[in-house]
Amino acid sequence: MAPVIFITGGARSGKSRLAERIAGGFGVPLGYLATGTAGDGEMAERIARHRQRRGDAWTTIEEPLDLAGVLRENDGRFGAILVDCVTLWLTNLLLACDDPARCVVRVKELTSLFPQLTTPLVLVSNEVGMGIVPENRLARQFRDLAGEANEMIAAAAGEVYVTFSGLPLRLK
């Protein structure tokens, strides 16, 4: 089984930079599986900044929904694959199917793939459950789904980190 490394933390806490550094340690070429889509100008700018920071060693694959399928298709192609981020993937899934239980099935499909991978995998996710209880149903469903998904992925990963203020803390 290839290493599976899970990194979580708050917004702008240094998760992506840590993930890029860890993935880069496995050698080039590097795969970047982007789950976010440029739905507006601000997101397009954010994507462009991330691409520029990563540089030419990275091949970007954009996939908002079929994370496990794309990982299967690209296994063995890269020195490592970085998924950024699980939280945006969950957002896409929840908006596409409006059923958290179906989303959990997709997370199980993802984690069941881990032992089969030959390429090191680094996954980034936001920790969204440390704040107030959201006021609307969709936001509460998302918060709960993200917490459950992070728990499942952390349990299946070989290494787990959380970042605070740019500082990583190894949990597992």
Side-chain angles (χ1 to χ4, degrees):
M1 177 176 149
V4 175
I5 302 161
F6 181 58
I7 301 168
T8 189
R12 309 293 302 159
S13 64
K15 301 178 304 291
S16 293
R17 286 186 305 279
L18 175 63
E20 290 165 10
R21 189 169 61 246
I22 289 172
F26 290 106
V28 295
L30 296 164
Y32 184 90
L33 205 165
T35 61
T37 57
D40 60 29
E42 186 271 334
M43 191 62 170
E45 238 178 75
R46 183 180 293 250
I47 289 169
R49 274 195 319 269
H50 276 232
R51 277 191 176 160
Q52 184 178 18
R53 182 182 72 219
R54 286 191 306 271
D56 296 335
W58 295 86
T59 298
T60 301
I61 303 160
E62 296 178 352
E63 178 51 54
L65 296 171
D66 188 16
L67 198 51
V70 170
L71 287 172
R72 244 184 248 104
E73 289 171 13
N74 287 281
D75 191 28
R77 182 175 168 209
F78 299 104
I81 297 175
L82 190 161
V83 174
D84 200 355
C85 79
V86 170
T87 324
L88 285 172
W89 173 60
L90 294 170
T91 299
N92 299 335
L93 288 175
L94 188 56
L95 293 175
C97 72
D98 194 30
D99 181 358
R102 286 177 53 199
C103 298
V104 169
V105 169
R106 300 289 294 275
V107 176
K108 288 178 183 175
E109 176 188 4
L110 173 67
T111 59
S112 70
L113 177 65
F114 293 172
Q116 302 166 33
L117 294 174
T118 62
T119 301
L121 178 63
V122 181
L123 301 111
V124 174
S125 188
N126 289 292
E127 184 53 58
V128 298
M130 297 175 78
I132 61 172
V133 175
E135 69 168 304
N136 68 73
R137 177 181 170 270
L138 178 61
R140 286 189 301 275
Q141 283 181 327
F142 174 74
R143 182 214 44 201
D144 294 349
L145 172 62
E148 187 173 1
N150 284 353
E151 197 174 328
M152 292 167 61
I153 293 169
E159 292 180 38
V160 179
Y161 296 86
V162 65
T163 57
F164 294 102
S165 304
L167 301 173
L169 175 63
R170 185 171 178 172
L171 302 176
K172 175 180 170 184

